[in-house]
Amino acid sequence: MSHELRTPLSVILGFTQLLNRSSSLEPKQQEYLNTISRSGEHLLTLINDILEMSKIEAGRIILNEQDFNLHHLIAPRGNLCQCKVAAPVDFANSRIARSCCQCTHSVN
């Protein structure tokens, strides 16, 4: 299952890297390309996380607990959704982000 998901996504990410090398892109095109690249990387991370969870459920992986910074985890993902709202939202400085504790415990 992982190859069916990762291979097409890797091709998309590869083409975004090739297009990023072009000096003939207009600023708006570069912005769109950057959004595609960030979204693709985020999707790849989600796919990898899902595959890791399936390994955990199958008992093929040992869990290691560790602390992490929740704000650093959430802030970049909040900005991915920014283009879908009428007024830009600065998620990193939002009330939600400020109310999150800085260090959260995780099972990794």
Side-chain angles (χ1 to χ4, degrees), residues 36-83:
I36 292 168
S37 183
R38 279 192 320 271
S39 297
E41 292 291 342
H42 178 63
L43 183 56
L44 184 59
T45 300
L46 288 174
I47 291 168
N48 288 335
D49 289 348
I50 291 168
L51 293 171
E52 286 294 314
M53 283 189 262
S54 68
K55 289 179 187 176
I56 292 168
E57 289 176 352
R60 297 185 323 192
I61 236 175
I62 297 173
L63 300 179
N64 296 314
E65 295 183 15
Q66 71 181 51
D67 293 336
F68 67 96
N69 187 313
L70 184 60
H71 178 75
H72 287 145
L73 177 70
I74 293 174
R77 276 107 185 131
N79 291 335
L80 283 175
C81 301
Q82 203 169 43
C83 61

Side-chain angles (χ1 to χ4, degrees), residues 15-32:
F15 275 110
T16 61
Q17 290 172 359
L18 288 174
L19 288 170
N20 265 327
R21 294 179 186 169
S22 173
S23 59
S24 63
L25 292 176
E26 295 177 15
K28 199 67 173 171
Q29 291 172 321
Q30 185 66 50
E31 182 182 332
Y32 293 150

Side-chain angles (χ1 to χ4, degrees), residues 71 75 78-79 82 85 87-98:
H71 178 75
N79 291 335
Q82 203 169 43
V85 294
V89 175
D90 183 6
F91 184 80
N93 293 316
S94 71
R95 182 178 46 86
I96 296 169
R98 287 191 306 270

